Amino acid sequence: MSGRPVRIGLQLQPEHADYATIRRTAAEAEALGADAIFIWDHFFPLTGEPEGKHFECWTVLAALAESTSTVQLGPLVSCVGYRNPDLLADMARTVDHISGGRAMLGLGSGWCEKDFTGYGYPFGSDGERLRELAAAIPRVKSRLSNLNPAPAGRLPLLLGGGGEKRTLRLVAEHADIWHAFHDPATIRHKLSVLHKHCADVGRDPAEIEVSTSVSGLAAHEGDPREMGPELRELGVSLFIVGAGGPDFDLGTLRRWIDWRDGTNA
């Protein structure tokens, strides 16, 4: 079990909603006590009407950095194929300053073909996108180390995905947070692989916070008592609830926050 306290995040999925509703939902999540708010990096809705309302990740994050005051903010996750890596680092640094040091930088290789082709980016193969991610991470880190001013806070690097040969190796080499999209049994296995990669690169796996999306994992996703303890036992400390527009029901988020408070007490 992780010695880290439980944290609860909201993945606020900016689909089918007006921006005013997105901003109001972020404010409500912060008032409820959420530790973090994430925005997904897609250009089109993933559910409902394919051409429905949708907003871009980083401009929403910049706006929420002004309208919130306590929650951490970041993309879950930002696709390196959509933006020059040096520019992406600068954007993250800027959001970090706007928020007063509350930004996190989530990176991934992308998977939704429509996002790529709809905006004129080459989709490529899974392997090509992973190689692009591997090449982008050092550029992002180098640019962050040379920006003036430097990031205002720690700006932790989150990497999402469970590819055992490449992605988890990148997590071992670079990440402050590993985000999983898996059930508990799969997370257990992936962690064993991650620990082997950490041993190979000489890194203590305890340095890496384990995060997972809890929405969609089980029929009882709305009741953290059904899955929270098992995930906690595996070392998960950041639990992320998803909510999509147009109305953004935060009932599940409330239940996970209540569970967090009881667990951390």
Side-chain angles (χ1 to χ4, degrees):
M1 179 183 292
S2 170
R4 301 172 187 267
V6 171
R7 301 196 296 147
I8 304 298
L10 171 69
Q11 187 191 45
L12 201 165
Q13 301 156 356
E15 56 178 2
H16 307 301
D18 296 326
Y19 175 69
T21 304
I22 292 172
R23 182 181 57 202
R24 184 169 59 250
T25 301
E28 183 180 355
E30 184 172 57
L32 287 171
D35 297 289
I37 295 174
F38 297 89
I39 304 295
W40 71 21
D41 192 15
H42 295 287
F43 301 129
F44 304 94
L46 294 185
T47 65
E49 169 53 48
E51 302 299 327
K53 292 179 182 177
H54 200 277
F55 288 100
E56 190 274 332
C57 171
W58 279 99
T59 41
V60 170
L61 284 170
L64 295 183
E66 282 282 6
S67 67
T68 60
S69 59
T70 61
V71 290
Q72 285 190 285
L73 297 164
L76 192 65
V77 290
S78 191
C79 175
V80 297
Y82 302 157
R83 303 166 189 87
N84 173 285
D86 295 83
L87 172 62
L88 181 57
D90 201 341
M91 292 164 63
R93 181 280 308 257
T94 300
V95 170
D96 197 41
H97 275 266
I98 295 170
S99 69
R102 292 181 285 125
M104 295 181 281
L105 177 53
L107 298 178
S109 58
W111 60 269
C112 183
E113 185 171 3
K114 183 177 181 179
D115 287 331
F116 284 84
T117 59
Y119 274 53
Y121 300 114
F123 184 55
S125 66
D126 291 348
E128 288 170 335
R129 295 195 304 278
L130 281 170
R131 285 191 290 273
E132 188 173 15
L133 174 63
I137 292 171
R139 286 182 59 183
V140 168
K141 294 172 72 173
S142 176
R143 178 60 59 185
L144 286 171
S145 69
N146 287 289
L147 286 169
N148 184 15
R154 180 166 167 259
L155 194 56
L157 176 62
L158 178 154
L159 292 179
E164 296 181 10
K165 183 178 179 181
R166 297 178 180 176
T167 303
L168 291 180
R169 176 74 177 207
L170 292 173
V171 172
E173 291 174 341
H174 299 288
D176 300 296
I177 305 168
W178 171 55
H179 184 76
F181 301 88
H182 309 296
D183 60 86
T186 304
I187 290 177
R188 184 186 302 276
H189 168 69
K190 300 292 184 182
L191 282 172
S192 70
V193 176
L194 176 59
H195 290 181
K196 291 177 183 176
H197 284 304
C198 286
D200 289 341
V201 302
R203 188 171 184 200
D204 182 355
E207 297 176 2
I208 303 171
E209 183 173 15
V210 181
S211 167
T212 189
S213 294
V214 295
S215 300
L217 287 183
H220 301 293
E221 67 184 44
D223 186 353
R225 296 171 298 178
E226 296 289 337
M227 60 189 308
E230 183 177 4
L231 289 167
R232 182 67 174 150
E233 189 65 31
L234 291 174
V236 177
S237 59
L238 177 56
F239 300 78
I240 301 177
V241 176
D247 299 319
F248 300 109
D249 182 355
L250 298 186
T252 298
L253 179 69
R254 290 186 182 91
R255 288 188 286 273
W256 279 89
I257 288 173
D258 288 344
W259 175 77
R260 175 202 66 191
D261 293 346
T263 301
N264 288 343

